[in-house]
PDB file of all heavy atoms in Angstrom:
ATOM      1  N   VAL J  21     -13.657  41.552 -18.378  1.00 95.00           N
ATOM      2  CA  VAL J  21     -14.711  41.774 -19.376  1.00 95.00           C
ATOM      3  C   VAL J  21     -16.029  41.146 -18.931  1.00 95.00           C
ATOM      4  O   VAL J  21     -17.104  41.676 -19.230  1.00 95.00           O
ATOM      5  CB  VAL J  21     -14.285  41.266 -20.769  1.00 95.00           C
ATOM      6  CG1 VAL J  21     -13.062  42.015 -21.277  1.00 95.00           C
ATOM      7  CG2 VAL J  21     -14.047  39.764 -20.767  1.00 95.00           C
ATOM      8  N   ALA J  25     -19.398  43.218 -18.416  1.00 96.00           N
ATOM      9  CA  ALA J  25     -20.618  42.827 -19.114  1.00 96.00           C
ATOM     10  C   ALA J  25     -21.792  42.706 -18.145  1.00 96.00           C
ATOM     11  O   ALA J  25     -22.913  43.155 -18.426  1.00 96.00           O
ATOM     12  CB  ALA J  25     -20.401  41.507 -19.847  1.00 96.00           C
ATOM     13  N   ASP J  42     -41.768  44.156 -26.936  1.00 91.00           N
ATOM     14  CA  ASP J  42     -42.235  42.784 -27.118  1.00 91.00           C
ATOM     15  C   ASP J  42     -42.445  42.025 -25.821  1.00 91.00           C
ATOM     16  O   ASP J  42     -42.828  40.858 -25.847  1.00 91.00           O
ATOM     17  CB  ASP J  42     -41.259  42.013 -28.015  1.00 91.00           C
ATOM     18  CG  ASP J  42     -41.669  42.069 -29.474  1.00 91.00           C
ATOM     19  OD1 ASP J  42     -42.710  42.686 -29.769  1.00 91.00           O
ATOM     20  OD2 ASP J  42     -40.958  41.509 -30.336  1.00 91.00           O
ATOM     21  N   MET J  54     -47.706  29.934 -16.479  1.00 93.00           N
ATOM     22  CA  MET J  54     -47.909  29.913 -15.043  1.00 93.00           C
ATOM     23  C   MET J  54     -49.237  29.248 -14.680  1.00 93.00           C
ATOM     24  O   MET J  54     -49.380  28.674 -13.591  1.00 93.00           O
ATOM     25  CB  MET J  54     -47.870  31.333 -14.481  1.00 93.00           C
ATOM     26  CG  MET J  54     -46.526  32.050 -14.605  1.00 93.00           C
ATOM     27  SD  MET J  54     -45.174  31.176 -13.767  1.00 93.00           S
ATOM     28  CE  MET J  54     -44.336  30.379 -15.135  1.00 93.00           C
ATOM     29  N   ASN J  84     -50.953  36.422 -13.055  1.00 90.00           N
ATOM     30  CA  ASN J  84     -52.075  37.354 -13.059  1.00 90.00           C
ATOM     31  C   ASN J  84     -51.603  38.765 -13.398  1.00 90.00           C
ATOM     32  O   ASN J  84     -51.259  39.575 -12.526  1.00 90.00           O
ATOM     33  CB  ASN J  84     -52.788  37.345 -11.703  1.00 90.00           C
ATOM     34  CG  ASN J  84     -53.492  36.046 -11.440  1.00 90.00           C
ATOM     35  OD1 ASN J  84     -54.110  35.461 -12.326  1.00 90.00           O
ATOM     36  ND2 ASN J  84     -53.385  35.543 -10.217  1.00 90.00           N
ATOM     37  N   SER J 102     -36.824  39.309 -11.811  1.00 96.00           N
ATOM     38  CA  SER J 102     -36.739  37.890 -12.152  1.00 96.00           C
ATOM     39  C   SER J 102     -37.104  37.613 -13.606  1.00 96.00           C
ATOM     40  O   SER J 102     -36.526  36.735 -14.245  1.00 96.00           O
ATOM     41  CB  SER J 102     -37.659  37.069 -11.231  1.00 96.00           C
ATOM     42  OG  SER J 102     -37.225  37.129  -9.895  1.00 96.00           O
ATOM     43  N   HIS J 129      -4.808  37.699 -27.572  1.00 93.00           N
ATOM     44  CA  HIS J 129      -5.675  38.134 -26.481  1.00 93.00           C
ATOM     45  C   HIS J 129      -6.030  39.613 -26.625  1.00 93.00           C
ATOM     46  O   HIS J 129      -7.103  40.031 -26.179  1.00 93.00           O
ATOM     47  CB  HIS J 129      -5.005  37.866 -25.142  1.00 93.00           C
ATOM     48  CG  HIS J 129      -4.930  36.405 -24.793  1.00 93.00           C
ATOM     49  ND1 HIS J 129      -5.944  35.735 -24.146  1.00 93.00           N
ATOM     50  CD2 HIS J 129      -3.980  35.479 -25.047  1.00 93.00           C
ATOM     51  CE1 HIS J 129      -5.611  34.461 -23.989  1.00 93.00           C
ATOM     52  NE2 HIS J 129      -4.412  34.278 -24.527  1.00 93.00           N
ATOM     53  N   VAL J 166     -20.610  27.458 -31.447  1.00 97.00           N
ATOM     54  CA  VAL J 166     -19.440  27.645 -32.308  1.00 97.00           C
ATOM     55  C   VAL J 166     -18.157  27.437 -31.523  1.00 97.00           C
ATOM     56  O   VAL J 166     -17.226  26.729 -31.974  1.00 97.00           O
ATOM     57  CB  VAL J 166     -19.474  29.032 -32.966  1.00 97.00           C
ATOM     58  CG1 VAL J 166     -18.185  29.288 -33.736  1.00 97.00           C
ATOM     59  CG2 VAL J 166     -20.681  29.165 -33.879  1.00 97.00           C
ATOM     60  N   ALA J 175      -8.879  20.167 -30.196  1.00 83.00           N
ATOM     61  CA  ALA J 175      -8.387  19.377 -29.058  1.00 83.00           C
ATOM     62  C   ALA J 175      -8.261  17.917 -29.478  1.00 83.00           C
ATOM     63  O   ALA J 175      -9.100  17.079 -29.153  1.00 83.00           O
ATOM     64  CB  ALA J 175      -9.330  19.515 -27.872  1.00 83.00           C
ATOM     65  N   VAL J 248     -31.965  16.562 -32.400  1.00 97.00           N
ATOM     66  CA  VAL J 248     -33.337  16.123 -32.713  1.00 97.00           C
ATOM     67  C   VAL J 248     -34.028  15.644 -31.441  1.00 97.00           C
ATOM     68  O   VAL J 248     -35.188  15.974 -31.171  1.00 97.00           O
ATOM     69  CB  VAL J 248     -33.336  15.035 -33.781  1.00 97.00           C
ATOM     70  CG1 VAL J 248     -34.703  14.406 -33.919  1.00 97.00           C
ATOM     71  CG2 VAL J 248     -32.863  15.597 -35.125  1.00 97.00           C
ATOM     72  N   PHE J 255     -40.590  20.032 -26.724  1.00 95.00           N
ATOM     73  CA  PHE J 255     -42.028  19.954 -26.943  1.00 95.00           C
ATOM     74  C   PHE J 255     -42.706  19.036 -25.927  1.00 95.00           C
ATOM     75  O   PHE J 255     -43.849  19.281 -25.531  1.00 95.00           O
ATOM     76  CB  PHE J 255     -42.332  19.493 -28.369  1.00 95.00           C
ATOM     77  CG  PHE J 255     -42.259  20.584 -29.382  1.00 95.00           C
ATOM     78  CD1 PHE J 255     -41.063  20.886 -30.020  1.00 95.00           C
ATOM     79  CD2 PHE J 255     -43.382  21.339 -29.697  1.00 95.00           C
ATOM     80  CE1 PHE J 255     -40.991  21.901 -30.962  1.00 95.00           C
ATOM     81  CE2 PHE J 255     -43.323  22.356 -30.623  1.00 95.00           C
ATOM     82  CZ  PHE J 255     -42.124  22.658 -31.257  1.00 95.00           C
ATOM     83  N   ALA J 285     -62.717  18.783 -23.886  1.00 61.00           N
ATOM     84  CA  ALA J 285     -62.613  17.501 -23.193  1.00 61.00           C
ATOM     85  C   ALA J 285     -63.820  17.256 -22.288  1.00 61.00           C
ATOM     86  O   ALA J 285     -64.277  16.123 -22.121  1.00 61.00           O
ATOM     87  CB  ALA J 285     -61.330  17.455 -22.360  1.00 61.00           C
ATOM     88  N   GLN J 291     -67.983   9.941 -24.853  1.00 78.00           N
ATOM     89  CA  GLN J 291     -68.839   9.740 -26.024  1.00 78.00           C
ATOM     90  C   GLN J 291     -68.596   8.336 -26.601  1.00 78.00           C
ATOM     91  O   GLN J 291     -67.514   7.780 -26.455  1.00 78.00           O
ATOM     92  CB  GLN J 291     -68.514  10.784 -27.099  1.00 78.00           C
ATOM     93  CG  GLN J 291     -68.844  12.208 -26.690  1.00 78.00           C
ATOM     94  CD  GLN J 291     -68.527  13.197 -27.783  1.00 78.00           C
ATOM     95  OE1 GLN J 291     -69.098  14.255 -27.806  1.00 78.00           O
ATOM     96  NE2 GLN J 291     -67.618  12.873 -28.689  1.00 78.00           N
ATOM     97  N   ASN J 328     -75.316  38.977 -58.821  1.00 83.00           N
ATOM     98  CA  ASN J 328     -74.832  39.016 -60.201  1.00 83.00           C
ATOM     99  C   ASN J 328     -75.833  38.444 -61.205  1.00 83.00           C
ATOM    100  O   ASN J 328     -75.528  38.272 -62.390  1.00 83.00           O
ATOM    101  CB  ASN J 328     -73.520  38.243 -60.329  1.00 83.00           C
ATOM    102  CG  ASN J 328     -73.655  36.781 -59.910  1.00 83.00           C
ATOM    103  OD1 ASN J 328     -74.755  36.300 -59.638  1.00 83.00           O
ATOM    104  ND2 ASN J 328     -72.522  36.074 -59.851  1.00 83.00           N
ATOM    105  N   VAL J 391     -75.897  22.538 -59.580  1.00 92.00           N
ATOM    106  CA  VAL J 391     -76.228  23.966 -59.498  1.00 92.00           C
ATOM    107  C   VAL J 391     -74.987  24.658 -58.935  1.00 92.00           C
ATOM    108  O   VAL J 391     -74.378  24.171 -57.975  1.00 92.00           O
ATOM    109  CB  VAL J 391     -77.438  24.218 -58.573  1.00 92.00           C
ATOM    110  CG1 VAL J 391     -77.679  25.722 -58.413  1.00 92.00           C
ATOM    111  CG2 VAL J 391     -78.669  23.540 -59.139  1.00 92.00           C
ATOM    112  N   SER J 399     -67.864  25.167 -58.472  1.00 94.00           N
ATOM    113  CA  SER J 399     -68.229  24.031 -57.628  1.00 94.00           C
ATOM    114  C   SER J 399     -69.749  23.924 -57.507  1.00 94.00           C
ATOM    115  O   SER J 399     -70.467  24.846 -57.869  1.00 94.00           O
ATOM    116  CB  SER J 399     -67.602  24.180 -56.242  1.00 94.00           C
ATOM    117  OG  SER J 399     -66.187  24.222 -56.313  1.00 94.00           O
ATOM    118  N   VAL J 420     -68.945   7.202 -47.397  1.00 95.00           N
ATOM    119  CA  VAL J 420     -67.987   7.499 -46.327  1.00 95.00           C
ATOM    120  C   VAL J 420     -66.606   6.992 -46.742  1.00 95.00           C
ATOM    121  O   VAL J 420     -66.426   5.777 -46.964  1.00 95.00           O
ATOM    122  CB  VAL J 420     -68.424   6.854 -45.001  1.00 95.00           C
ATOM    123  CG1 VAL J 420     -67.362   7.074 -43.939  1.00 95.00           C
ATOM    124  CG2 VAL J 420     -69.764   7.400 -44.563  1.00 95.00           C
ATOM    125  N   ILE J 435     -63.916  11.526 -33.373  1.00 84.00           N
ATOM    126  CA  ILE J 435     -62.721  12.380 -33.242  1.00 84.00           C
ATOM    127  C   ILE J 435     -61.537  11.852 -34.038  1.00 84.00           C
ATOM    128  O   ILE J 435     -60.867  12.589 -34.753  1.00 84.00           O
ATOM    129  CB  ILE J 435     -62.313  12.570 -31.761  1.00 84.00           C
ATOM    130  CG1 ILE J 435     -63.351  13.440 -31.043  1.00 84.00           C
ATOM    131  CG2 ILE J 435     -60.947  13.212 -31.636  1.00 84.00           C
ATOM    132  CD1 ILE J 435     -63.062  13.696 -29.584  1.00 84.00           C
ATOM    133  N   GLU J 494     -89.200  10.755 -32.794  1.00 67.00           N
ATOM    134  CA  GLU J 494     -90.057  11.884 -33.089  1.00 67.00           C
ATOM    135  C   GLU J 494     -89.265  13.186 -33.121  1.00 67.00           C
ATOM    136  O   GLU J 494     -88.319  13.391 -32.329  1.00 67.00           O
ATOM    137  CB  GLU J 494     -91.161  11.991 -32.027  1.00 67.00           C
ATOM    138  CG  GLU J 494     -92.122  10.811 -32.036  1.00 67.00           C
ATOM    139  CD  GLU J 494     -92.878  10.706 -33.353  1.00 67.00           C
ATOM    140  OE1 GLU J 494     -93.202  11.758 -33.939  1.00 67.00           O
ATOM    141  OE2 GLU J 494     -93.121   9.558 -33.806  1.00 67.00           O
ATOM    142  N   ARG J 498     -86.609  14.701 -30.423  1.00 63.00           N
ATOM    143  CA  ARG J 498     -85.226  14.757 -30.885  1.00 63.00           C
ATOM    144  C   ARG J 498     -84.641  16.160 -30.723  1.00 63.00           C
ATOM    145  O   ARG J 498     -83.485  16.317 -30.345  1.00 63.00           O
ATOM    146  CB  ARG J 498     -85.166  14.330 -32.361  1.00 63.00           C
ATOM    147  CG  ARG J 498     -83.736  14.186 -32.885  1.00 63.00           C
ATOM    148  CD  ARG J 498     -83.687  13.441 -34.197  1.00 63.00           C
ATOM    149  NE  ARG J 498     -84.381  14.168 -35.261  1.00 63.00           N
ATOM    150  CZ  ARG J 498     -85.505  13.745 -35.858  1.00 63.00           C
ATOM    151  NH1 ARG J 498     -86.058  12.602 -35.468  1.00 63.00           N
ATOM    152  NH2 ARG J 498     -86.062  14.445 -36.819  1.00 63.00           N
ATOM    153  N   GLU J 499     -85.438  17.196 -30.977  1.00 65.00           N
ATOM    154  CA  GLU J 499     -84.954  18.564 -30.801  1.00 65.00           C
ATOM    155  C   GLU J 499     -84.581  18.815 -29.344  1.00 65.00           C
ATOM    156  O   GLU J 499     -83.563  19.454 -29.057  1.00 65.00           O
ATOM    157  CB  GLU J 499     -86.024  19.552 -31.248  1.00 65.00           C
ATOM    158  CG  GLU J 499     -86.229  19.605 -32.758  1.00 65.00           C
ATOM    159  CD  GLU J 499     -87.288  20.619 -33.164  1.00 65.00           C
ATOM    160  OE1 GLU J 499     -87.681  21.423 -32.302  1.00 65.00           O
ATOM    161  OE2 GLU J 499     -87.711  20.594 -34.347  1.00 65.00           O
ATOM    162  N   ILE J 510     -65.277   9.545 -19.545  1.00 37.00           N
ATOM    163  CA  ILE J 510     -64.092   8.834 -19.987  1.00 37.00           C
ATOM    164  C   ILE J 510     -63.120   9.805 -20.620  1.00 37.00           C
ATOM    165  O   ILE J 510     -63.526  10.696 -21.348  1.00 37.00           O
ATOM    166  CB  ILE J 510     -64.438   7.724 -21.017  1.00 37.00           C
ATOM    167  CG1 ILE J 510     -65.441   6.742 -20.404  1.00 37.00           C
ATOM    168  CG2 ILE J 510     -63.196   6.976 -21.463  1.00 37.00           C
ATOM    169  CD1 ILE J 510     -65.961   5.739 -21.378  1.00 37.00           C
ATOM    170  N   THR J 606      -1.358  30.582 -41.524  1.00 91.00           N
ATOM    171  CA  THR J 606      -2.064  31.869 -41.437  1.00 91.00           C
ATOM    172  C   THR J 606      -3.244  31.891 -42.405  1.00 91.00           C
ATOM    173  O   THR J 606      -4.327  32.408 -42.091  1.00 91.00           O
ATOM    174  CB  THR J 606      -1.101  33.016 -41.780  1.00 91.00           C
ATOM    175  OG1 THR J 606       0.012  32.971 -40.878  1.00 91.00           O
ATOM    176  CG2 THR J 606      -1.801  34.363 -41.655  1.00 91.00           C
TER     177      THR J 606
END
Side-chain angles (χ1 to χ4, degrees):
V21 297
D42 267 359
M54 295 300 102
N84 292 319
S102 295
H129 289 273
V166 174
V248 170
F255 278 89
Q291 295 181 155
N328 59 7
V391 175
S399 299
V420 175
I435 291 180
E494 295 298 324
R498 188 166 63 247
E499 288 181 12
I510 302 173
T606 303

